[in-house]
Amino acid sequence: MSAITASTTPSMGLSEKMQRGELFSAACPTREILRHITSQWGVLVLVALLSDTHRFSQLRRKVGGISEKMLAQTLQSLEADGFVIRTAYPVVPPHVEYSLSLMGKEVAHQVESLANWIEDNLPHIMAQRKTQQTDPLIA
């Protein structure tokens, strides 16, 4: 926000700021959503669901290393935030599928870009880590 805009914009009340979200504020609800999206498992589940609808067991196999408990918690958080759609079919045994909402697809593409950037730059990142481990005084 420029100095001109800041001086001409009326100050927002606390409730307006909370509705809009103030990322740098400790009480901002944006932080919880950001945590859900950018957690290790949140990113991987969102990217996995970009390709297609999945059942729980398919997601668990696709996202290597995730426990049943963490997958369930991640899916619940992403569903509560409106990113994941859970569809339960009334059959025996139970059949539940997970897919992305429109908003979920938008955010999944954003985190996919971040994941792709990390993959593309992984050799440089790993080299930097190795340099730091061998000579911690190098900045």
Side-chain angles (χ1 to χ4, degrees):
M1 182 181 291
S2 70
I4 294 169
T5 307
S7 64
T8 60
T9 304
S11 63
M12 281 192 253
L14 181 59
S15 66
E16 290 171 300
K17 285 183 179 180
M18 292 303 289
Q19 286 176 354
R20 181 177 167 271
E22 294 290 332
L23 184 61
F24 293 107
S25 168
C28 181
T30 305
R31 288 188 180 190
E32 183 178 3
I33 297 163
L34 189 61
R35 188 172 59 247
H36 295 162
I37 294 167
T38 60
S39 71
Q40 173 185 2
W41 304 121
V43 168
L44 296 174
V45 167
L46 287 166
V47 172
L49 287 172
L50 263 175
S51 64
D52 201 6
T53 296
H54 287 70
R55 292 182 72 174
F56 187 90
S57 58
Q58 291 172 311
L59 272 174
R60 184 144 183 248
R61 283 191 298 273
K62 192 167 190 172
V63 181
I66 192 169
S67 69
E68 233 176 86
K69 179 182 177 181
M70 282 309 304
L71 179 55
Q73 287 177 354
T74 301
L75 287 166
Q76 287 169 356
S77 296
L78 294 172
E79 182 185 7
D81 293 337
F83 302 127
V84 169
I85 299 168
R86 181 183 184 273
T87 306
Y89 297 94
V91 293
V92 177
H95 181 100
V96 178
E97 293 180 342
Y98 297 91
S99 59
L100 294 174
S101 65
L102 288 176
M103 194 167 52
K105 288 177 184 174
E106 286 182 44
V107 75
H109 283 294
Q110 297 295 321
V111 296
E112 181 184 42
S113 294
L114 176 61
N116 286 338
W117 182 90
I118 293 168
E119 286 285 328
D120 291 345
N121 289 282
L122 190 59
H124 304 294
I125 296 166
M126 297 308 289
Q128 179 62 31
R129 281 186 170 186
K130 188 174 181 178
T131 300
Q132 289 294 323
Q133 289 172 353
T134 57
D135 191 355
L137 296 177
I138 294 177

